[in-house]
C-alpha cells in the first residue's frame, strides 16, 4: 500500500498520512480524516496485502462514558468514493478498549482481530463475497467471536500476534504475559503464562503445550537479562 | 492513622525495614525467601518475601501520627505525634534504650500531622488542631538547647548518643504559624527548604519561614494529605472526602485537575517514589488501591487542556486495606496492611507492552527491563507452531524436490499424515503424466491433475463388470468388481497399482510390508480378493521384530472365513469387529461380512486413509454409487480442509477451495504454494487465492531474512509457472554509450540496414554481438576465447 501512516487521537479523529515519495521521508501529507465520534485509544491496519481486500483499519476507543456504543469500529477504503467509511462496528465490545491488533492474514479467507479490553477477545471477520454485498461498495462481514478469555482477571493492556497469526500474546494488569493458540478444532486455549519478570507462574502446570517450551526458554531469558542489566536505564 | 487502624511506613534509607504502628510501634525486617518454608517468627508477605519482627516500642501511647527521620543516621528515629499534642522522638531497634525527647505545645490538643524538613533535618513541623487563638503549625528544632527544666544538659544535643538524663522536654518552638486555625496536613516543599505547605482548616497555605508574616493561600476543602510529587516539584495532591485535587504551585488559584470522585472517603494518597506521575489512593473499607497514571502530562498548563489520565485499580489482598506504603526504592512496590495487621508485599505491574519477532520470539517491556522469550524446539513431542514449522521446513528445502515428489513429506518432518498423502498424490500424478508423455497418448494428461472426481465422472458407461470370488473359499460368490480404463487410472493415483492396466498390487503390498504397515497391506490384499496373501502378510507381521502378536489371532479369524450368510463366524465377526482398534482390521472384517454392493463399513471407516477408501470404491462400487460416494467424500474433505482430499479434487478449482479451508485452518501457506505450483501449467495458478498464497509465502521468507530460500522459491516457481518469471534485473551496458546491449537486441526492431550490419543476426542460433547496437562501437573481447563480451550465455559455443 505504500508508506501510509494512520494516527488516532483522543479527540476521536483518525488521520491517515502518506509519504508519496520514498526518497523524501520528511514529507507526509494528510490524506484522510475520519471522525469516529469516540475518544480513540488504539488503531490497527489490516496487514492483508491482497487486492481482494480493500485497505482496512480497526479503531478502538477507551471512552468509559456509560453510553453503550461499540468501542471497536472498522473502516474500509472505498474505491468509488476514494474515502474511508465505517464498514463495521463490533457491537458486543462496550468496555474501554486498550489495544487492538489484526493478525497477519497469511492467505486466509478471513481476518482475525484481537481486542484487549477487560478481557481478551478474538474475532474473525469473513468478507462476504462481493456479489452478496450491497451496491454501496463496502464489504459486508460475517463477524464471529471465536474466543473470550478473562484469565487476566483484570484489564488487558496489550495484544500482539506472531508472524502467522496463530499465537496471540496478551499482557494484563495482573502483570502476566499469556499466550493463546488455537487447536485444529479452532478452539483457542491458553498455552503459556509468564510473569512480567519472566518467571513462570506457580501452579500453572495444567496449562498446555507452550509451558514446557517456555519453561526451557527461561535460561535464554536469564542470559538476555544479564546482558541488558548493564545498559539498564534509570528513568 | 486514626484510632487503632494500623499505619505503615518504610524506612527512608534502610530499605529492608518498615514500621507498623497502631497502639504501638513494631519494626519489621523484610527479606526475600524463595523457599516455601518459613523461618520461626517470620511472616509471609508474598511468594518471595517474608518479614521478621525486630522490636516493639509501646512507650508512646495515644499516637496520632508518625514520621521517620529523613537522614541515614541515626537509623530508626521516629517522631510520634500524640493526642495531647506532644511530639515525642523515639527510636527503635538497637539504641532502643536511648531516652526520648518531648516537644510540648502550650495548649494540649491533638497532633494531626508531622513532617521532617528533608534538607535541614533538625526541623520538624507539627500540625495541630485548633485551640482558640493559638498557633496550629509548630516547627520544632530537635537540636534545640532551650529546655527549661534541664538546663544542665544543654550541651547534650546529639541524638544518637543516648542522653543520660530522662525525658528532655522542649516547649519553645522555632516557629509558630497558622494562628487561630487548625492544621490537618503538612509537607515541606522541595523547591526551597524554608517553604512549608499546610492544609489548614479551609485552605491550603504556603508558609515562607524567611518571612513568617506572609503566606500564600487558596480556599479549598481539599486540605487533607497534602503531598508533593517527588518527580515534579510543583505538583501537589490533596484530598477531601472522596475527591483528589491536583495542584500546580505555579498556578495555585485552583486545582489543575480533580480526579473522579469516589463514593467512600479517601484515607491515603501517595505519589510513587520510583516512577513519575503515579498516584496511589485508598478509600475507607476497600480492598483496592486506585492508581492514576499522569506520566504524560508534565505541564498541565492552560485552562482547556485536560491531561489524560489512565486510571487503574489493583487488589493486593482480599481484606480491606487499612493503609499502604510505597517502597522508597524498589520499583512500584508497596506493602499494604489490613486492620488486623496482616501485611502483604505487592508490586504494581506496569502495563506490559509486547511484540513478536518473525522467528517466534516474544519481547516485552516490564518496568525498566526488557525480556525476550523464545520457543524452544527441543521437546519435539510438543506441537510446534506453524510459523516455526514452516521456517524449519523452508530450511530443509521442503517442496523443492521436483524429481521424487513424495520425498517432500520427509523434508517436512515426516510427521503429518495429511502432508504425506498430499505429496504421494502429487507424486503419482506426476508419474502418470510422465508415462503419458513417453507414450505420447496424452489424451488423459489433463485429466490427471484434475483429480479422481473428474476421472470417475468421465468413466461413466465404460465400465465392465467382473464376477469374482473371494479366493480361498470354495464356492463361487457374488462379488462384483468393476473395471475400466479410468478406474484403473484412479487406482494408479491411489498408489495401488503401477502403470498400465495390469491389476497387480504385489509391488504395492511389498512396499507396505517393508514399511511395516502390516494391517494396511493385509487389507489391501484382501480388497484384491486374496485372502491367502492377507493371512500370509499378517503372519509375517506377527513374527517380525516389533510386530503385534494379535495379528496372528486376526489371521486365524480371517482364515475361518465362510460365505454362509447365517454362519456363526459372520455373526461374531460383524459384532466383534467394532472392538478392533486398528481401522484397517476393522475394515477387513466389514468387507468380509458385508452384503455385496453395500460396503458402508469400509467406505465410511474414517480412519482408513482416503486413498484406500477411494481405491476400494473404484473396485467395488458401480458407477452411480461411486459417483455419489466420491461426491460426498469430496465435499467432506473440502469442508474439513483435509489434504488427503486433493486426491479427489486434484489441482482444480475444487482443489483450491479445499486448500483454502486448509489454509484457513492451519495458516500453512507454504504447502499451499508448493502444492499449487506442482499442478502447473494450469488454470489454478491464475486463481487470485493461489497468487495471494504465493505472495504471502514470499513475504514470510523475506520476513525471516531467508533471501536465498526466497530466490530458490522464485526459481522453482518460474520453472513451473513461466508466466511468473521475474523481469531481468541485470543488464550489460555498453562502455561508450551506456545503453544496455541485451535491451537493444530485443527491443530495437530491425531498423535501416538491420542488425546484420552490427554483427547481430536476427536468428537466435547465430546471435552474436560484436559491437554495441547503440553506438556501433566494437565490444571488448575475452582474452581467452575471444568471444565478445555481452554475448548471451545461451549462444556461447
Amino acid at each position: 500500500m505504500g508508506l501510509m501512516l494512520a494516527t488516532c487521537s483522543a479527540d476521536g479523529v483518525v488521520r491517515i498520512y502518506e509519504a508519496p515519495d520514498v526518497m523524501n521521508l520528511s514529507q507526509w501529507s494528510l490524506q484522510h480524516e475520519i471522525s469516529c465520534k469516540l475518544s480513540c485509544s488504539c488503531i490497527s491496519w489490516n496487514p492483508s496485502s491482497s487486492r481482494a481486500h480493500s485497505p482496512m483499519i480497526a479503531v478502538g476507543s477507551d471512552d468509559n462514558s456509560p453510553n453503550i456504543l461499540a468501542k471497536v469500529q472498522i473502516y474500509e477504503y472505498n474505491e468509488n468514493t476514494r474515502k474511508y467509511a465505517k464498514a463495521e462496528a463490533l457491537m458486543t465490545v462496550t468496555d474501554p478498549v486498550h489495544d487492538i491488533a489484526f493478525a497477519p492474514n497469511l492467505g486466509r479467507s478471513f481476518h482475525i482481530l484481537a481486542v484487549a479490553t477487560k478481557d481478551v477477545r478474538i474475532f474473525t471477520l469473513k468478507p462476504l463475497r462481493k456479489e452478496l454485498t450491497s451496491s454501496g461498495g463496502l464489504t459486508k462481514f460475517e463477524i464471529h467471536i471465536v474466543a473470550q478469555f478473562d484469565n487476566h482477571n483484570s484489564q488487558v493492556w496489550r495484544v500482539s500476534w506472531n508472524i502467522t497469526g496463530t499465537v496471540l500474546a496478551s499482557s494484563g494488569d495482573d502483570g502476566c504475559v499469556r499466550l493463546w493458540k488455537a487447536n485444529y478444532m479452532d478452539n483457542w486455549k491458553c498455552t503459556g503464562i509468564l510473569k512480567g519478570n519472566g518467571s513462570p507462574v506457580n501452579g500453572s502446570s495444567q496449562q498446555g503445550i507452550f509451558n514446557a517450551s517456555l519453561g526451557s526458554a527461561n535460561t535464554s531469558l536469564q542470559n538476555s537479562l544479564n546482558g541488558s542489566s548493564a545498559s539498564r536505564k534509570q528513568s | 492513622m486514626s484510632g487503632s487502624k494500623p499505619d505503615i511506613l518504610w524506612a527512608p534509607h534502610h530499605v529492608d525495614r518498615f514500621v507498623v504502628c497502631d497502639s504501638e510501634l513494631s519494626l519489621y525486617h523484610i527479606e526475600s525467601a524463595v523457599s516455601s518454608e518459613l523461618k520461626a517468627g517470620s511472616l509471609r508477605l508474598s511468594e518471595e518475601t517474608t518479614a521478621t519482627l525486630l522490636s516493639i516500642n509501646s512507650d508512646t501511647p495515644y499516637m496520632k501520627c508518625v514520621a521517620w527521620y529523613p537522614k541515614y543516621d541515626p537509623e530508626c528515629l521516629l517522631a510520634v505525634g500524640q493526642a495531647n499534642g506532644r511530639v515525642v522522638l523515639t527510636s527503635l531497634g538497637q539504641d532502643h534504650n536511648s531516652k526520648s525527647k518531648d516537644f510540648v505545645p502550650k495548649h494540649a490538643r491533638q497532633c494531626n500531622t508531622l513532617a521532617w524538613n528533608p534538607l535541614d533535618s533538625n526541623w520538624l513541623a507539627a500540625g495541630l488542631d485548633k485551640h482558640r487563638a493559638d498557633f496550629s503549625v509548630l516547627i520544632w528544632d530537635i537540636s534545640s538547647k532551650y529546655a527549661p527544666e534541664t538546663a544542665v544538659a544543654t550541651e547534650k544535643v546529639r541524638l544518637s548518643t543516648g542522653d543520660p538524663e530522662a525525658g528532655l522536654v522542649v516547649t519553645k518552638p522555632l516557629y509558630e504559624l497558622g494562628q487561630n486555625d487548625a492544621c490537618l496536613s503538612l509537607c515541606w516543599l522541595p523547591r526551597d527548604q524554608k517553604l512549608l505547605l499546610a492544609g489548614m482548616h479551609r485552605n491550603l497555605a504556603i508558609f515562607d519561614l524567611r518571612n513568617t508574616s506572609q503566606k500564600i493561600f487558596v480556599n479549598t476543602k481539599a486540605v487533607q494529605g497534602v503531598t508533593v510529587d517527588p518527580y515534579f516539584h510543583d505538583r501537589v495532591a490533596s484530598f477531601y472526602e472522596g475527591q483528589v485535587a491536583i495542584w500546580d504551585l505555579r498556578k495555585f488559584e485552583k486545582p489543575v485537575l480533580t480526579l473522579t470522585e469516589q463514593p467512600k472517603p479517601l484515607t491515603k494518597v501517595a505519589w510513587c517514589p520510583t516512577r513519575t506521575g503515579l498516584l496511589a489512593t485508598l478509600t475507607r473499607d476497600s480492598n483496592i488501591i486506585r492508581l492514576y497514571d499522569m506520566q504524560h502530562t508534565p505541564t498541565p498548563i492552560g485552562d482547556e487542556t485536560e491531561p489524560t489520565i489512565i486510571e487503574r485499580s489493583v487488589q493486593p489482598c482480599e481484606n480491606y486495606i487499612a493503609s499502604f506504603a510505597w517502597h522508597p526504592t524498589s520499583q512500584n512496590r508497596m506493602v499494604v496492611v489490613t486492620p488486623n495487621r496482616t501485611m502483604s508485599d505487592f508490586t504494581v505491574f506496569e502495563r506490559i507492552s509486547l511484540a513478536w519477532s518473525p522467528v517466534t520470539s516474544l519481547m516485552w517491556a516490564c518496568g525498566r527491563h526488557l525480556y525476550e522469550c523464545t520457543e524452544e524446539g527441543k521437546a519435539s513431542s510438543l506441537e510446534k507452531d506453524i510459523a516455526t514449522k514452516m521456517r524449519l521446513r523452508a530450511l530443509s528445502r521442503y517442496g523443492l524436490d521436483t524429481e521424487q515428489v513424495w520425498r517432500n513429506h520427509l523434508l517436512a518432518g515426516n510427521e503429518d499424515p495429511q502432508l504425506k498423502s498430499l505429496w504421494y498424490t502429487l507424486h503419482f500424478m506426476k508419474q502418470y503424466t510422465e508415462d503419458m508423455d513417453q507414450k505420447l497418448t496424452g489424451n488423459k494428461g489433463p485429466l490427471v491433475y484434475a483429480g479422481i472426481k473428474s476421472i470417475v465422472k468421465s468413466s461413466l458407461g465404460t465400465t465392465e463388470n467382473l464376477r469374482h470370488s473371494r479366493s480361498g473359499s470354495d464356492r463361487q460368490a457374488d462379488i462384483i468388481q468393476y473395471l475400466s480404463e479410468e478406474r484403473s487410472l484412479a487406482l494408479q493415483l491411489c498408489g495401488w497399482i503401477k502403470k498400465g492396466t495390469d491389476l497387480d498390487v504385489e509391488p504395492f503390498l511389498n512396499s507396505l510390508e517393508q514399511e511395516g504397515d502390516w494391517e494396511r497391506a493385509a487389507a489391501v490384499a484382501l480388497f484384491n480378493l486374496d485372502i491367502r496373501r492377507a493371512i500370509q502378510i499378517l503372519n509375517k507381521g506377527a513374527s517380525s521384530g516389533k510386530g503385534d502378536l494379535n495379528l496372528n489371532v486376526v489371521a486365524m479369524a480371517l482364515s475361518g472365513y465362510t460365505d454362509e450368510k447365517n454362519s456363526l463366524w459372520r455373526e461374531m465377526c460383524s459384532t466383534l469387529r467394532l472392538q478392533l482398534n486398528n481401522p484397517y482390521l476393522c475394515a477387513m472384517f466389514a468387507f468380509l461380512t458385508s452384503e455385496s454392493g453395500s460396503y458402508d463399513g469400509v467406505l465410511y471407516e474414517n480412519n482408513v486413509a482416503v486413498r484406500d477408501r477411494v481405491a476400494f470404491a473404484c473396485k467395488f462400487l458401480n458407477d452411480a454409487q461411486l459417483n455419489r460416494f466420491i461426491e460426498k467424500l469430496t465435499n467432506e474433505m473440502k469442508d474439513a480442509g483435509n489434504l488427503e482430499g486433493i486426491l479427489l479434487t486434484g489441482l482444480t478449482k475444487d482443489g483450491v477451495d479445499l486448500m483454502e479451508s486448509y489454509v484457513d485452518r492451519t495458516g500453512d501457506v507454504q504447502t499451499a504454494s508448493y502444492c499449487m505450483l506442482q499442478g502447473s501449467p494450469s488454470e489454478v495458478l491464475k486463481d487470485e487465492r493461489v497468487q495471494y498464497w504465493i505472495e504471502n509465502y514470499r513475504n514470510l521468507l523475506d520476513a525471516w531474512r531467508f533471501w536465498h530460500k526466497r530466490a530458490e522459491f522464485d526459481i522453482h516457481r518460474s520453472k513451473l509457472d513461466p508466466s511468473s518469471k521475474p523481469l531481468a534485473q541485470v543488464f550489460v551496458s555498453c562502455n561508450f554509450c551506456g545503453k544496455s546491449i541485451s535491451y537493444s537486441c530485443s527491443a530495437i526492431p530491425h531498423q535501416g540496414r538491420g542488425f546484420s550490419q552490427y554483427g547481430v543476426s536476427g536468428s537466435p542460433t547465430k546471435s552474436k554481438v560484436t559491437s554495441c547496437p547503440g553506438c556501433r562501437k566494437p565490444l571488448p573481447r575475452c582474452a581467452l576465447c575471444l568471444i565478445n563480451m555481452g554475448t548471451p550465455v545461451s549462444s556461447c559455443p
Side-chain angles (χ1 to χ4, degrees):
Chain A
M1 281 209 336
L3 292 167
M4 304 277 267
L5 180 74
T7 63
C8 67
S9 51
D11 59 0
V13 181
V14 171
R15 295 179 178 85
I16 295 170
Y17 299 87
E18 185 173 9
D21 182 7
V22 190
M23 302 307 290
N24 178 14
L25 289 183
S26 58
Q27 193 184 1
W28 290 82
S29 54
L30 181 64
Q31 298 286 340
H32 301 279
E33 254 189 0
I34 315 164
S35 170
C36 299
K37 301 184 181 69
L38 271 175
S39 160
C40 305
S41 60
C42 48
I43 193 165
S44 171
W45 282 101
N46 182 356
S48 166
S49 59
S50 167
R51 255 172 254 116
H53 310 135
S54 2
M56 195 193 289
I57 284 185
V59 184
S61 160
D62 63 353
D63 191 323
N64 52 10
S65 56
N67 54 355
I68 308 293
L69 278 175
K71 294 288 167 26
V72 175
Q73 301 175 348
I74 291 159
Y75 292 87
E76 196 190 42
Y77 185 67
N78 188 328
E79 283 295 341
N80 300 332
T81 59
R82 293 170 184 273
K83 278 204 173 79
Y84 281 84
K86 182 147 91 178
E88 282 294 343
L90 301 184
M91 298 311 287
T92 53
V93 185
T94 52
D95 301 286
V97 170
H98 306 294
D99 197 13
I100 197 167
F102 269 112
N105 179 275
L106 212 74
R108 290 186 194 88
S109 60
F110 52 87
H111 311 296
I112 311 177
L113 182 69
V115 176
T117 166
K118 64 177 186 191
D119 46 21
V120 182
R121 293 185 203 180
I122 301 169
F123 292 90
T124 57
L125 293 89
K126 193 176 175 65
L128 296 175
R129 267 171 287 144
K130 278 286 180 209
E131 55 261 37
L132 294 175
T133 59
S134 59
S135 54
L138 282 176
T139 321
K140 284 272 178 290
F141 293 96
E142 195 182 313
I143 299 178
H144 290 290
I145 179 159
V146 291
Q148 182 167 7
F149 298 108
D150 55 1
N151 300 34
H152 279 293
N153 262 327
S154 52
Q155 296 292 322
V156 181
W157 294 117
R158 291 281 178 269
V159 283
S160 170
W161 288 102
N162 76 337
I163 188 169
T164 46
T166 45
V167 185
L168 177 73
S170 66
S171 74
D173 227 357
D174 58 348
C176 289
V177 174
R178 282 164 208 266
L179 300 175
W180 313 95
K181 192 177 189 311
N183 69 358
Y184 64 99
M185 296 285 288
D186 211 25
N187 285 328
W188 289 82
K189 280 208 178 84
C190 179
T191 57
I193 312 177
L194 281 167
K195 275 195 185 162
N197 59 10
S199 59
V201 172
N202 291 342
S204 62
S205 55
Q206 79 277 10
Q207 302 302 337
I209 45 180
F210 247 79
N211 215 20
S213 53
L214 286 170
S216 55
N218 271 339
T219 48
S220 64
L221 203 141
Q222 286 304 324
N223 294 341
S224 64
L225 258 187
N226 294 340
S228 72
S229 59
S231 60
R232 193 186 304 161
K233 268 192 229 158
Q234 296 287 325
S235 65
Chain B
M1 187 183 66
S2 57
S4 64
K5 254 194 181 175
D7 198 358
I8 190 161
L9 279 108
W10 278 96
H13 294 287
H14 304 272
V15 292
D16 54 350
R17 299 195 182 178
F18 64 90
V19 149
V20 174
C21 40
D22 36 19
S23 57
E24 55 193 18
L25 295 167
S26 322
L27 178 68
Y28 288 93
H29 177 75
I30 194 164
E31 56 201 337
S32 60
V34 184
S35 62
S36 53
E37 73 266 22
L38 280 171
K39 275 190 291 182
S42 58
L43 300 160
R44 181 154 289 279
L45 295 195
S46 70
E47 277 169 23
E48 288 96 27
T49 51
T50 58
T52 327
L53 184 61
L54 290 183
S55 65
I56 293 182
N57 182 341
S58 47
D59 298 345
T60 49
Y62 319 114
M63 287 190 289
K64 281 288 159 191
C65 49
V66 181
W68 203 302
Y69 186 67
K71 290 282 162 71
Y72 187 83
D73 191 59
E75 62 176 307
C76 303
L77 177 69
L78 292 155
V80 178
Q82 292 175 310
N84 58 5
R86 287 168 83 105
V87 177
V88 182
L89 290 188
T90 183
S91 64
L92 286 157
Q94 293 89 337
D95 47 357
H96 178 58
N97 50 3
S98 77
K99 289 301 169 233
S100 56
K101 194 170 193 176
D102 287 15
F103 303 92
V104 186
K106 259 181 270 172
H107 300 102
R109 56 258 158 93
Q110 178 169 308
C111 177
N112 288 323
T113 176
L114 286 171
W116 291 93
N117 191 314
L119 295 168
D120 188 347
S121 57
N122 280 338
W123 288 9
L124 174 64
L128 301 152
D129 267 353
K130 186 175 172 177
H131 188 273
R132 298 211 187 95
D134 201 0
F135 296 95
S136 61
V137 179
L138 305 178
I139 295 166
W140 301 98
D141 183 354
I142 60 159
S143 63
S144 168
K145 293 170 185 171
Y146 181 71
E149 294 117 287
T150 55
V152 238
T154 44
E155 72 277 7
K156 296 279 188 185
V157 289
R158 288 297 308 235
L159 290 148
S160 47
T161 61
D163 282 340
E165 60 276 7
L168 216 60
V169 175
V170 182
T171 53
K172 177 85 180 98
L174 198 59
Y175 294 98
E176 289 174 311
L177 305 161
Q179 199 168 15
N180 200 6
D181 209 342
C183 175
L184 295 161
S185 60
L186 281 172
C187 78
W188 293 92
L189 295 183
R191 273 204 299 195
D192 190 296
Q193 65 175 65
K194 298 254 167 82
L195 290 179
L196 180 68
L197 174 68
M200 306 305 281
H201 177 50
R202 287 229 164 248
N203 56 57
L204 284 179
I206 299 174
F207 295 105
D208 190 342
L209 301 187
R210 293 164 294 198
N211 181 0
T212 50
S213 60
Q214 274 193 358
K215 68 172 182 183
I216 308 166
F217 72 96
V218 54
N219 289 327
T220 174
K221 281 182 178 173
V223 295
Q224 296 189 50
V226 288
T227 167
V228 181
D229 185 345
Y231 285 91
F232 180 49
H233 292 165
D234 285 323
R235 186 154 63 186
V236 171
S238 68
F239 65 90
Y240 160 72
E241 293 286 309
Q243 202 160 40
V244 178
I246 310 288
W247 305 83
D248 192 321
L249 296 181
R250 298 167 298 185
K251 187 170 177 287
F252 202 40
E253 301 90 56
K254 60 174 189 169
V256 284
L257 193 64
T258 47
L259 305 180
T260 33
E261 189 162 353
Q262 301 305 315
K264 287 176 186 166
L266 291 151
T267 55
K268 186 156 186 172
V269 168
W271 296 98
C272 177
T274 54
R275 188 178 175 304
T276 46
L278 186 64
L279 185 74
T281 67
L282 175 69
T283 58
R284 207 172 62 199
D285 299 337
S286 135
N287 58 358
I288 58 171
I289 289 176
R290 212 168 281 276
L291 299 166
Y292 298 90
D293 189 349
M294 288 168 251
Q295 196 179 19
H296 305 293
T297 57
T299 51
I301 297 296
D303 287 328
E304 305 308 319
T305 53
E306 277 255 312
T308 47
I309 290 179
I310 298 170
E311 192 183 322
R312 294 171 60 183
S313 52
V314 291
Q315 186 180 350
C317 58
E318 295 299 315
N319 298 324
Y320 288 155
I321 299 164
S323 184
F324 68 93
W326 289 105
H327 191 282
T329 54
S330 203
Q331 245 182 69
N332 291 4
R333 178 172 158 196
M334 57 167 71
V335 166
V336 298
V337 62
T338 61
N340 54 6
R341 293 193 74 167
T342 53
M343 294 164 280
S344 84
D345 183 356
F346 175 77
T347 302
V348 178
F349 287 100
E350 292 283 336
R351 282 167 294 144
I352 300 169
S353 52
L354 28 76
W356 286 94
S357 86
V359 291
T360 320
S361 79
L362 180 67
M363 182 81 99
W364 72 81
C366 180
R368 285 167 198 155
H369 300 267
L370 272 182
Y371 296 90
E372 186 179 9
C373 145
T374 51
E375 184 191 23
E376 298 263 309
K378 75 173 185 191
S380 57
S381 60
L382 299 171
E383 181 79 3
K384 283 193 214 101
D385 185 59
I386 189 69
T388 317
K389 275 191 196 164
M390 282 199 279
R391 202 161 55 85
L392 294 176
R393 285 173 189 170
L395 283 174
S396 68
R397 300 176 46 81
Y398 170 62
L400 291 174
D401 197 328
T402 46
E403 295 307 312
Q404 297 282 318
V405 179
W406 62 272
R407 282 181 54 81
N408 282 314
H409 95 264
L410 296 180
L411 297 175
N414 192 15
E415 52 193 10
D416 191 334
Q418 285 197 25
L419 289 186
K420 183 174 178 179
S421 165
L422 170 71
W423 287 108
Y424 268 104
T425 303
L426 294 175
H427 176 68
F428 292 134
M429 285 177 177
K430 183 171 170 352
Q431 227 174 25
Y432 187 82
T433 10
E434 274 165 9
D435 291 349
M436 279 302 171
D437 286 350
Q438 281 166 11
K439 287 191 212 154
L440 292 173
T441 57
N443 57 339
K444 295 284 189 303
L447 262 182
V448 174
Y449 277 111
I452 286 180
K453 189 177 158 195
S454 353
I455 293 172
V456 165
K457 278 225 174 90
S458 70
S459 81
L460 286 174
T462 59
T463 312
E464 41 188 307
N465 303 347
L466 277 179
R467 284 180 175 267
H468 271 279
S469 71
R470 295 163 172 134
S471 75
S473 70
D474 309 326
R475 288 182 35 192
Q476 191 73 20
D478 50 349
I479 302 263
I480 305 169
Q481 284 195 65
Y482 298 89
L483 274 181
S484 73
E485 206 181 325
E486 283 79 11
R487 283 179 187 238
S488 73
L489 170 57
L491 286 181
Q492 276 186 55
L493 293 183
C494 291
W496 276 24
I497 55 173
K498 294 275 181 227
K499 59 189 98 168
T501 43
D502 50 337
L503 298 170
D504 185 15
V505 291
E506 202 50 38
F508 180 55
L509 293 180
N510 287 337
S511 74
L512 285 178
E513 279 180 327
Q514 262 169 24
E515 285 173 37
D517 210 347
W518 308 108
E519 291 92 349
R520 188 175 168 201
V524 172
L526 183 72
F527 296 156
N528 285 284
L529 306 179
D530 195 346
I531 289 196
R532 229 170 255 292
R533 179 80 173 104
I535 293 171
Q536 188 195 338
I537 290 169
L538 289 174
N539 285 334
K540 217 193 260 182
S543 55
S544 74
K546 35 187 193 218
D548 183 358
L549 281 180
N550 283 334
L551 291 181
N552 267 333
V553 183
V554 175
M556 216 145 73
L558 214 54
S559 59
Y561 168 70
T562 163
D563 271 343
E564 287 300 333
K565 282 277 182 292
N566 302 317
S567 68
L568 180 65
W569 185 89
R570 206 167 252 255
E571 198 181 312
M572 293 319 291
C573 281
S574 54
T575 50
L576 289 177
R577 75 176 182 90
L578 297 172
Q579 291 173 19
L580 288 170
N581 287 326
N582 187 294
Y584 281 99
L585 298 182
C586 201
M588 278 162 78
F589 287 104
F591 174 61
L592 288 179
T593 55
S594 59
E595 299 296 321
S596 175
S598 69
Y599 300 109
D600 285 5
V602 181
L603 295 176
Y604 298 106
E605 176 64 57
N606 281 329
N607 290 321
V608 170
V610 169
R611 65 177 63 250
D612 292 333
R613 281 192 277 159
V614 169
F616 178 86
C618 288
K619 272 183 110 65
F620 296 109
L621 293 188
N622 66 33
D623 280 353
Q625 278 176 317
L626 182 62
N627 247 322
R628 253 199 322 270
F629 173 69
I630 297 285
E631 191 75 31
K632 192 166 172 221
L633 195 60
T634 308
N635 288 336
E636 241 171 61
M637 295 288 128
K638 264 163 77 173
D639 287 345
N642 187 335
L643 289 183
E644 290 182 65
I646 292 289
L647 176 72
L648 301 171
T649 62
L651 303 179
T652 55
K653 192 182 164 299
D654 268 350
V656 178
D657 287 346
L658 189 151
M659 195 55 91
E660 185 180 27
S661 65
Y662 172 76
V663 171
D664 282 356
R665 193 166 56 83
T666 62
D668 184 2
V669 278
Q670 185 180 38
T671 301
S673 307
Y674 278 120
C675 169
M676 288 302 159
L677 278 175
Q678 201 65 39
S680 66
S682 75
E683 287 302 303
V684 288
L685 277 176
K686 296 199 179 71
D687 193 302
E688 209 173 40
R689 291 171 287 180
V690 177
Q691 289 301 327
Y692 186 40
W693 293 332
I694 291 175
E695 209 46 49
N696 267 295
Y697 181 52
R698 293 180 72 240
N699 287 342
L700 266 186
L701 289 176
D702 282 348
W704 288 324
R705 304 175 172 208
F706 287 174
W707 319 122
H708 288 107
K709 297 287 165 204
R710 211 252 288 152
E712 271 180 84
F713 177 75
D714 283 347
I715 293 165
H716 175 76
R717 179 185 174 194
S718 58
K719 261 186 214 156
L720 295 169
D721 177 18
S723 64
S724 72
K725 204 165 195 157
L727 295 170
Q729 289 163 353
V730 180
F731 301 96
V732 180
S733 72
C734 170
N735 239 347
F736 298 102
C737 65
K739 279 185 187 159
S740 162
I741 292 167
S742 48
Y743 172 78
S744 315
C745 285
S746 56
I748 299 178
H750 298 271
Q751 54 180 65
R753 287 165 288 179
F755 275 89
S756 54
Q757 191 74 26
Y758 318 121
V760 180
S761 66
S763 97
T765 47
K766 290 194 285 172
S767 88
K768 263 189 184 168
V769 188
T770 56
S771 63
C772 169
C775 61
R776 305 186 196 179
K777 286 262 170 40
L779 292 165
R781 288 163 178 266
C782 167
L784 294 178
C785 63
L786 297 182
I787 290 176
N788 288 91
M789 292 190 186
T791 310
V793 178
S794 54
S795 59
C796 282

